[in-house]
Structures are given as C-alpha cells and as structure tokens.
Amino acid sequence: MSALDAAVIGAQEECSAARHPTDELLAGRFACREFSDAPVRRSIIEEILRVARFAPSGANIQPWHVYVLTGATKDSVSAALVEAHEMSPEEHVSEYKYYASDLPEPYLKRRHEFGRLFYDSLGIARADSEARSRQTAKNYTFFGAPVGFIVTIDRRLEVGSWLDLGMFVQNVMLAAAGRGLQSCPQETFSKYHRILRTMLAIPAEQIVVCGISIGKANVESQERLMPRADIDEFATFLGFGS
C-alpha cells in the first residue's frame, strides 16, 4: 500500500468516527410527548415547510398537503377529538391500515416490546385500560405542543407516493430539530378523519394520514427509550471484500 493510499484510508476512518452535525439531528430527534407551551412563530413553521418540500418525490408529484393548526383552531380540534375518544371511539376508524393484521416476527416481538417499555416508563400497568386511554387522549391535545400538523395525501395516488410522503414527514421533523424544536408523528389522528374533514374543510379526495406535534420540548434531551436493531440485522453488504 502506498503512503497516499494509507493517508486516504486513514482520512476515511477519521470521517466515519467523527460525529457529523447531521448525525446529531438524526440520533437526537425523539418522539416528544411533553411539550412546553412556548409559542412558535409562523415564520419558523414556514421555514420548516419551505425546506421540507425538497423531500424526494417520484416524477416530482409532491403528494403532501399540510393543515397547520395553532391557537383557538387547534384547541377546538383537540376538544372535538378528545370528546370523540372519550365518548364514542368505536364509531371511528382510519381509512387505511397501519399494521398488518397478522404481524410476523420479528415485528410482532418489537411491537410488544414497545408497549411494555412505553407504558412501564409512564408507570401504567398493562391491565389499566383507563390509564392507557387517558394517555392516548393526550395525542389529541398534541401533547401540549403549540403547533399541530394534520397531514393528508390524495387517495387517488398509489403506494409510491406514500413513500414520498414519509420522506416529507421525516424532513419536517429534522428541519424542526435543526431549529431547536422537537416533534411527534401521530398516526392516531387518522382514526378521526370524519371530524377533521368537517372542521378543517379537507376535500373528499384527501386521506388523513397522520398528525405531527411541533414545539419546544419540556426537556432539552431525552435518553432513547426504544432500542433499535443493529445494522447486521437489517443490512446485507455485497462486494465490499473482507
């Protein structure tokens, strides 16, 4: 190996060992469920959306639409959803399935582990359905965040556009983190699409996909609760040699 080759390899190893600012955003972002009520200016939200729109999009379709809620409008939506959750949850169902009906392994094990770790961290017993319901209700108040998004997609589009939408949602959360804010993506809003459709004048061709809570977290950082599989569990490397 030449001295030049050795220098290049050494530089590459140094780069991989160094913590890049992007890495900090990716690893530091967490699903925040306890926000400060500190207001977030409209200009900041516009900045987030302006950069998030550069998410990859097949054929540049850009399939996302966002309803941005704050103040009295957000409070009215929250009140309606909390009431529906408490009084008639069985009357509401999402227009799409988030989980497979019969989850295979290792996904079923991971889902069970999530439930155990999450509710244990809150001191809620597995059999305490009332406490679990109260915790779920906090979703509909956007966990106290000053800004809430309702994200929709045109139902006439196919699954590839949902992939684009997911990358847009990730961009939103990373752009928020880059501005010192945290977020929480919440599929559970999709369950109450009929209420949201009426209150926000969402067109019939749009499916409510999720909500996103955005604001300043009540804590500066949070130890990651949920374990993630190491790369040897999900990546197959080919052609790299030994």
Side-chain angles (χ1 to χ4, degrees):
M1 179 187 299
S2 71
L4 177 59
D5 289 337
V8 169
I9 291 173
Q12 289 174 336
E13 289 175 346
E14 257 187 63
C15 286
S16 63
R19 194 75 162 172
H20 192 277
T22 304
D23 298 346
E24 298 290 349
L25 284 178
L26 290 166
R29 189 207 65 78
F30 60 92
C32 181
R33 293 180 173 87
E34 189 176 348
F35 288 89
S36 159
D37 60 1
V40 177
R41 298 193 311 275
R42 173 172 173 164
S43 60
I44 298 297
I45 298 301
E46 289 181 350
E47 286 178 13
I48 290 170
L49 293 174
R50 196 166 281 116
V51 69
R53 66 196 169 121
F54 291 107
S57 178
N60 201 31
I61 284 176
Q62 306 170 67
W64 42 79
H65 193 93
V66 182
Y67 296 82
V68 184
L69 315 180
T70 194
T73 300
K74 181 178 71 68
D75 292 344
S76 295
V77 167
S78 290
L81 298 187
V82 169
E83 181 181 15
H85 171 73
E86 292 176 347
M87 304 301 295
S88 58
E90 68 284 346
E91 295 179 10
H92 300 271
V93 63
S94 174
E95 292 188 272
Y96 72 96
K97 289 180 66 175
Y98 193 94
Y99 300 106
S101 300
D102 186 16
L103 271 179
E105 296 296 352
Y107 316 112
L108 181 61
K109 178 182 177 182
R110 290 173 181 168
R111 187 178 185 185
H112 286 165
E113 182 181 41
F114 168 84
R116 178 181 61 80
L117 290 172
F118 179 65
Y119 287 109
D120 282 357
S121 74
L122 299 171
I124 297 175
R126 181 186 181 94
D128 193 344
S129 58
E130 288 187 10
R132 288 189 172 215
S133 179
R134 287 195 298 271
Q135 177 61 36
T136 299
K138 293 180 181 180
N139 279 278
Y140 308 121
T141 64
F142 297 91
F143 295 114
V147 177
F149 287 7
I150 300 297
V151 182
T152 68
I153 191 171
D154 194 312
R155 70 179 67 252
R156 296 167 294 185
L157 301 178
E158 292 292 349
V159 67
S161 291
W162 286 67
L163 176 65
D164 296 349
L165 179 64
M167 291 186 280
F168 169 78
V169 169
Q170 177 78 337
N171 270 10
V172 166
M173 295 189 292
L174 292 177
R179 289 162 174 78
L181 303 175
Q182 284 297 346
S183 58
C184 186
Q186 298 153 265
E187 172 271 338
T188 189
F189 280 98
S190 65
K191 180 177 180 179
Y192 295 101
H193 61 92
R194 288 190 287 117
I195 295 173
L196 292 168
R197 192 175 303 285
T198 299
M199 296 189 75
L200 305 180
I202 299 174
E205 68 270 14
Q206 294 286 322
I207 293 178
V208 174
V209 177
C210 67
I212 309 174
S213 299
I214 295 181
K216 190 77 174 175
N218 260 348
V219 293
E220 286 300 317
S221 62
Q222 180 172 303
E223 185 177 344
R224 186 166 293 281
L225 180 64
M226 299 299 161
R228 291 298 171 98
D230 207 347
I231 61 172
D232 60 357
E233 294 186 49
F234 64 82
T236 302
F237 292 89
L238 305 170
F240 284 89
S242 57

